[in-house]
Amino acid sequence: MSGTDGRSGAGSGGTDAGGSGRDGGDSARTARGSGDSARTARGGGDAAAAPPGVTTPRGRRPVVAALMLGMALAAIDGTIVSTAVPQIVGDLGGLTVFSWLFSGYLLAVTVTLPLYGKLSDTFGRKPVLVAGIILFLVGSVLCAAAWNMAALIAFRIVQGLGGGALQGTVQTIAADLYPLKERPRIQAKLSTVWATSAVAGPVVGGLLAGYADWRWIFLINLPVGAVALWLVVRHLHEPSRPRPAARPRVDWAGALAVFATGSLLLTALVQGGVAWPWLSAPSLGLLGASAVLAALTVVIERRAAEPIIPGWVWRRRTIASVNLALGAMGLLMVAPTVFLPTYAQSVLGLGPIAAGFVLSVMTLSWPVSAALSDRVYNRIGFRRTAMIGMSAALLILLAFPLLPYPGEPWHPALLMLLLGAALGLFQLPLIVGVQSTVGWAERGTTTASVLFCRQVGQSIGAALFGAVANGVLAARLLDAPVDGLPGDLDAVTRALEDPGAFSAAATDHVRRAVDAAVDYVYIGAAGAAALALLALITLAPRRFPIITEPTEPTEAAGTAGAPGRQDAAS
């Protein structure tokens, strides 16, 4: 059964999977290919489906370079600060609140994604990306000049406000520049940049903090950002779109409501169980206030003429299923990225650098799998490809608790190599597929909603699995051979770094407790993988309703904007 969406333009009506519909008064032609339906929107009479861009194929190269530099800025900033924390705290103080260097940045990135997505659909990608790069660089300069921890945290939030524009807009422009059959190539490049930056960040941060000054961690962003900014301004040319009859209106009330709701919710998730107990007044108060604001946000968005989070994001089966599936993927990603280094150091006895390499092998297979995924989904479709990838990830996550104790470092490394390949086969087809089901004027909002759900999933996963790990650890340490052992996973890990902290029997008992705690986290991650599969099985249409833009850039034409159509099979 071929699934259709029937909503390529704002305000258009239609039916979703399994139905037929009219889009903006124009009939839709459907062609089968790659297991997904390809729908061609007519060039005239549909302002919502603007051309993807007028940048020539040759001119795409500097734009892609700018996108990769922008992605590197956003990716490396999440990890480069981690290894310099001792130097920063030693210089500025603020040991009790330093975690907000990461939480504040993450919060700002997450809550601004929907706003930037809507702004890029309304005013174009280029002004949003330029503003994001400038804001990120201003935040970097301010961070380098910070005089105390409070100022540094505030300026990290400024950085995050720019990072939100970078993450969402880079992904959207990549989809605008390339037709469907070429999108895996650019997405694989961006995935490679993200993976490389995630691995290089701690190394670069440690070198700068150890041999120069921690402030260079932020100053190094300036030349990279300046080159990206120049390339975007010089080479990114957007299409001339029809001037709207009415002046575009920004839903500032909705933006403020989304920002406030996300801020309170993420603060509760990040600080709960860390700064205060989960059942304490701060946690319950923040969660209750975020629930009230979420209800208020729904009311505001329903009344808004141009809502920041339009209702169609959740009414369309394709977009809703991808949002839920990638939210579940964000949830499961917490297991390898947060808990695997702890396992490698506490259970396997590896140093920080070696523990990082155990995790980094996942970033080797992920881009390769993503780059080759088009050979699969061009044959069997986006949905089935993603289901194969997540099914494999589910089995790999369930295999982790079966590893021998204490085991060899190559055991978890092999599983992470396989997990990276499985998740590359899962994530990229869904992102490429969902971006291809909407026109130009909805692609920014759609991409932002996907990234927003993934970020929220990571925040929920960190809170949920942190509670699970600490609960299992505390239960296993009740019958420890020594008294006074800490029941917190971080405290236990730090204690294990001191060879004389415990006796041999106590050390083995604590290591086994950490092993059990991480095993339960991976079982929980497998549950998140099952939720992702369930979302695809029950909600996603069997074939994604692919929209072919009325104009596509082609190498043969020599310039972008040549009329044509592109089916999913091409």
Side-chain angles (χ1 to χ4, degrees):
M1 180 177 65
S2 174
T4 59
D5 195 318
R7 296 174 182 268
S8 69
S12 63
T15 58
D16 209 330
S20 60
R22 304 183 67 86
D23 192 5
D26 291 327
S27 61
R29 289 187 301 173
T30 303
R32 289 194 176 184
S34 76
D36 294 290
S37 59
R39 187 178 54 189
T40 305
R42 287 190 174 183
D46 190 358
V54 295
T55 300
T56 64
R58 180 177 298 177
R60 290 189 308 203
R61 295 174 183 174
V63 176
V64 169
L67 297 182
M68 294 176 71
L69 290 174
M71 181 65 76
L73 283 175
I76 201 171
D77 205 77
T79 57
I80 194 172
V81 180
S82 59
T83 51
V85 166
Q87 289 79 8
I88 295 174
V89 171
D91 189 11
L92 302 180
L95 178 63
T96 58
V97 295
F98 82 89
S99 63
W100 274 100
L101 291 176
F102 312 99
S103 302
Y105 179 84
L106 174 65
L107 187 150
V109 168
T110 303
V111 299
T112 54
L113 277 169
L115 174 61
Y116 288 128
K118 184 62 179 179
L119 290 177
S120 72
D121 284 343
T122 304
F123 300 104
R125 328 293 192 210
K126 186 173 182 177
V128 174
L129 182 57
V130 168
I133 295 175
I134 292 174
L135 192 56
F136 187 89
L137 295 182
V138 169
S140 298
V141 173
L142 292 174
C143 286
W147 53 91
N148 58 33
M149 185 62 73
L152 183 57
I153 290 171
F155 298 148
R156 282 281 288 170
I157 293 175
V158 174
Q159 259 193 320
L161 296 177
L166 286 173
Q167 284 198 26
T169 313
V170 163
Q171 294 277 7
T172 305
I173 293 175
D176 290 342
L177 288 176
Y178 286 84
L180 176 60
K181 66 180 180 180
E182 296 183 45
R183 283 176 192 161
R185 184 171 64 185
I186 179 61
Q187 290 290 351
K189 289 181 179 179
L190 295 178
S191 297
T192 302
V193 170
W194 189 275
T196 304
S197 300
V199 174
V203 177
V204 175
L207 290 175
L208 290 175
Y211 296 98
D213 187 88
W214 63 264
R215 298 179 190 271
W216 281 101
I217 289 174
F218 303 104
L219 293 176
I220 199 174
N221 293 331
L222 300 183
V224 178
V227 173
L229 184 62
W230 181 81
L231 290 173
V232 169
V233 172
R234 177 69 177 82
H235 295 282
L236 179 58
H237 305 292
E238 294 195 276
S240 57
R241 294 174 290 132
R243 179 174 296 180
R247 183 179 179 181
R249 290 181 294 175
V250 179
D251 178 23
W252 293 115
L256 180 61
V258 171
F259 188 89
T261 303
S263 298
L264 292 182
L265 177 60
L266 291 178
T267 300
L269 293 175
V270 169
Q271 295 299 302
V274 179
W276 47 70
W278 278 110
L279 298 180
S280 64
S283 282
L284 297 178
L286 286 171
L287 291 173
S290 62
V292 173
L293 282 177
L296 180 62
T297 301
V298 172
V299 174
I300 293 174
E301 294 296 86
R302 283 184 174 180
R303 295 181 178 180
E306 294 291 338
I308 294 296
I309 303 180
W312 53 261
V313 168
W314 294 105
R315 287 195 298 267
R316 301 184 194 178
R317 287 178 56 188
T318 306
I319 302 175
S321 62
V322 171
N323 282 345
L324 293 175
L326 286 178
M329 191 200 79
L331 192 72
L332 74 85
M333 280 300 297
V334 172
T337 57
V338 176
F339 292 93
L340 183 62
T342 298
Y343 172 87
Q345 294 181 67
S346 299
V347 178
L348 302 180
L350 302 179
I353 296 178
F357 278 115
V358 172
L359 172 61
S360 66
V361 294
M362 184 173 66
T363 65
L364 301 177
S365 57
W366 191 316
V368 175
S369 174
L372 299 177
S373 64
D374 63 319
R375 301 187 181 185
V376 183
Y377 69 66
N378 278 334
R379 292 178 176 272
I380 64 175
F382 296 116
R383 175 176 175 265
R384 291 180 180 176
T385 303
M387 288 173 61
I388 291 173
M390 188 50 73
S391 297
L394 172 60
L395 296 177
I396 294 165
L397 292 168
L398 288 176
F400 188 91
L402 303 179
L403 293 178
Y405 173 86
E408 298 293 333
W410 67 267
H411 292 157
L414 177 60
L415 290 184
M416 292 307 100
L417 188 70
L418 297 174
L419 183 63
L423 293 179
L425 198 62
F426 168 79
Q427 177 178 262
L428 188 135
L430 290 184
I431 291 180
V432 171
V434 77
Q435 287 178 330
S436 303
T437 64
V438 293
W440 188 96
E442 296 178 340
R443 192 170 291 141
T445 299
T446 300
T447 303
S449 72
V450 169
L451 299 179
F452 176 76
C453 289
R454 189 179 65 185
Q455 292 281 89
V456 171
Q458 288 179 332
S459 299
I460 295 175
L464 177 63
F465 293 147
V468 169
N470 288 327
V472 172
L473 186 69
R476 293 300 177 96
L477 293 180
L478 285 177
D479 57 347
V482 294
D483 297 327
L485 294 177
D488 177 79
L489 188 62
D490 292 334
V492 167
T493 302
R494 288 193 297 269
L496 286 173
E497 294 176 357
D498 182 7
F502 310 119
S503 64
T507 298
D508 182 71
H509 186 88
V510 171
R511 291 188 187 280
R512 289 182 180 274
V514 173
D515 178 63
V518 177
D519 284 348
Y520 274 92
V521 168
Y522 269 81
I523 292 173
L531 291 177
L533 277 175
L534 184 64
L536 293 178
I537 293 171
T538 59
L539 291 178
R542 293 185 179 180
R543 296 184 178 91
F544 281 25
I546 305 303
I547 291 179
T548 302
E549 299 285 2
T551 56
E552 291 283 6
T554 58
E555 294 288 350
T559 58
R565 61 176 290 179
Q566 176 213 341
D567 295 342
S570 61

